[in-house]
Amino acid sequence: MATVLAIETSCDETAAAIVKNRQVCSSAVASQIKIHQQYGGVVPEVASRSHVEMVNGAIAQSLSEANLTWSEIDGIAATCAPGLVGALLVGLTAAKTLAIVHQKPFLGIHHLEGHIYASYLSEPDLHPPFLCLLVSGGHTSLIHVKNCGNYEILGQTRDDAAGEAFDKVARLLKLGYPGGPIIDKLAQIGNPKAFSLPEGKISLPTGGYHPYDSSFSGLKTAVLHLVQKLQKENDDLPVKDIAASFQETVAKSLTKRAIACALDCGLNTIAIGGGVAANSGLRQHLQKAANAHNLRVLFPPLKYCTDNAAMIACAAAEHLELGHTSPLTLGAHSRMPITDVMDLYPTFRRYLSCVNRG
């Protein structure tokens, strides 16, 4: 399989990696968490400037760790969607420049497809079809992975993403940013049964509830009302118990939908991707439920749950093997559904169209 160097700059991690045969040759990640903590969240302009400062170092580190020369690299990739446009442009510009200088194919990669491919890094024998539960700060989706570049969204959040809900609840509890790891740590020593919180449900016009779609906005509001009520009654807020109860509700909600979706669609493997895949509560609930239904559940190593370039390189390597490349005119997209992945490789699409007409 192709050896690909990839760059990831969609949000607040500057990363570069080299992957071959679904094996990570090197992976460099420069986090901006400390930079953005003082603001309580990611500031797009600050993120873009930090990427400019860090991207060359990440690329150099990745090449050095892999002990490879440019002649041994088959293609160069970068995340092009979705994400912060200014941040994406830094990685795209770097990747395109390297592709021109070293005369290599260039590939734009969809960030969410990268999260799907994170599971391939620890399970190189994984093959579609399977279900991916993608849970991050900006996305919560159940995706039927049919093949490379061929995806169907079966369920998604109607409002806040799971990771976004963790950050907002952490802000309510004055825990700092990012909220996910802090809440997870507190939840492990809190009482998950201390408070009953509502699971978000999406009503159907014909009655009943959508079996796979989720909602976390109402849960976040319920935590707000709980905090306000407890503050009036007590001097000390039971933060650990609130964190544990909140995490328990999210984990059970995601688990119920993922298991139901897999069983209904006849898929025996569930791969988890995105930053919330690192959450201990979700891992425990989903693994237990999967075992009960004889389903296989795959969690990437923690270092590949959050944004990284290894997952981007893994996806790019498979696209390159299939003959997919992107034009150097490819732009950055703040939003793009994963179902439109093949639009990033227009030459291949035109080729297929000609073959089908012939």
Side-chain angles (χ1 to χ4, degrees):
M1 188 172 282
T3 301
V4 172
L5 181 148
I7 301 168
E8 155 62 28
T9 59
S10 64
C11 190
D12 61 341
E13 270 97 12
T14 310
I18 297 175
V19 168
K20 179 181 182 180
N21 296 329
R22 295 184 176 176
Q23 299 295 319
V24 180
C25 302
S26 64
S27 179
V29 180
S31 177
Q32 298 180 19
I33 287 179
K34 291 185 178 180
I35 297 173
H36 297 283
Q37 277 179 333
Q38 59 184 311
Y39 307 111
V42 178
V43 180
E45 178 62 23
V46 173
S48 299
R49 292 182 180 182
S50 296
H51 287 312
V52 172
E53 295 171 0
M54 298 175 180
V55 69
N56 286 337
I59 295 167
Q61 182 182 339
S62 185
L63 277 169
S64 176
E65 288 181 3
N67 196 26
L68 294 174
T69 64
W70 285 109
S71 63
E72 297 171 285
I73 303 296
D74 299 310
I76 299 172
T79 306
C80 64
L84 305 174
V85 171
L88 288 168
L89 284 172
V90 176
L92 274 174
T93 302
K96 290 177 183 180
T97 302
L98 291 172
I100 293 170
V101 170
H102 298 286
Q103 298 182 320
K104 305 290 182 181
F106 164 72
L107 296 95
I109 299 298
H110 195 288
H111 183 74
L112 302 190
E113 187 175 33
H115 277 303
I116 292 173
Y117 271 79
S119 291
Y120 289 82
L121 295 174
S122 57
E123 298 287 339
D125 294 328
L126 176 64
H127 294 286
F130 59 87
L131 180 69
C132 178
L133 170 61
L134 202 156
V135 275
S136 67
H139 304 273
T140 297
S141 305
L142 285 163
I143 302 168
H144 183 183
V145 179
K146 299 180 178 181
N147 214 328
C148 177
N150 187 356
Y151 308 105
E152 180 184 1
I153 298 175
L154 301 176
Q156 58 191 329
T157 180
R158 296 293 184 91
D159 39 60
D160 291 352
E164 183 182 4
F166 271 93
D167 285 339
K168 288 181 177 178
V169 168
R171 195 174 299 126
L172 285 174
L173 298 176
K174 297 179 171 56
L175 297 176
Y177 172 86
I182 304 170
I183 287 180
D184 193 5
K185 184 177 180 179
L186 292 173
Q188 293 179 47
I189 53 177
N191 178 9
K193 308 297 182 184
F195 302 102
S196 177
L197 295 170
E199 172 196 325
K201 296 180 180 180
I202 303 300
S203 300
L204 294 172
T206 54
Y209 300 99
H210 196 289
Y212 314 135
D213 280 359
S214 55
S215 167
F216 297 104
S217 180
L219 173 58
K220 176 200 67 180
T221 302
V223 174
L224 171 62
H225 292 160
L226 174 63
V227 168
Q228 291 172 337
K229 176 177 178 291
L230 292 173
Q231 284 175 332
K232 291 180 180 179
E233 298 174 353
N234 306 290
D235 292 331
D236 296 324
L237 199 65
V239 174
K240 297 173 186 176
D241 291 344
I242 296 173
S245 299
F246 166 75
Q247 179 165 293
E248 177 83 355
T249 305
V250 173
K252 289 174 69 174
S253 172
L254 291 172
T255 296
K256 182 172 75 174
R257 285 158 176 74
I259 295 296
C261 189
L263 292 174
D264 291 347
C265 297
L267 301 170
N268 60 13
T269 298
I270 305 174
I272 319 302
V276 184
N279 182 267
S280 64
L282 177 60
R283 287 181 173 238
Q284 291 166 9
H285 277 281
L286 197 48
Q287 188 65 67
K288 182 179 180 180
N291 291 343
H293 292 280
N294 296 315
L295 297 174
R296 181 189 184 198
V297 61
L298 304 175
F299 290 95
L302 295 182
K303 61 183 176 181
Y304 299 135
C305 291
T306 52
D307 292 351
N308 64 89
M311 65 184 191
I312 302 301
C314 188
E318 185 145 346
H319 278 290
L320 189 56
E321 281 289 317
L322 294 172
H324 307 166
T325 60
S326 303
L328 292 172
T329 54
L330 184 71
H333 302 270
S334 61
R335 297 178 182 272
M336 175 184 277
I338 194 170
T339 49
D340 292 346
V341 161
M342 290 308 295
D343 289 348
L344 303 176
Y345 317 106
T347 302
F348 187 79
R349 278 232 153 146
R350 286 197 296 270
Y351 166 75
L352 279 184
S353 178
C354 291
V355 169
N356 291 334
R357 285 202 304 269

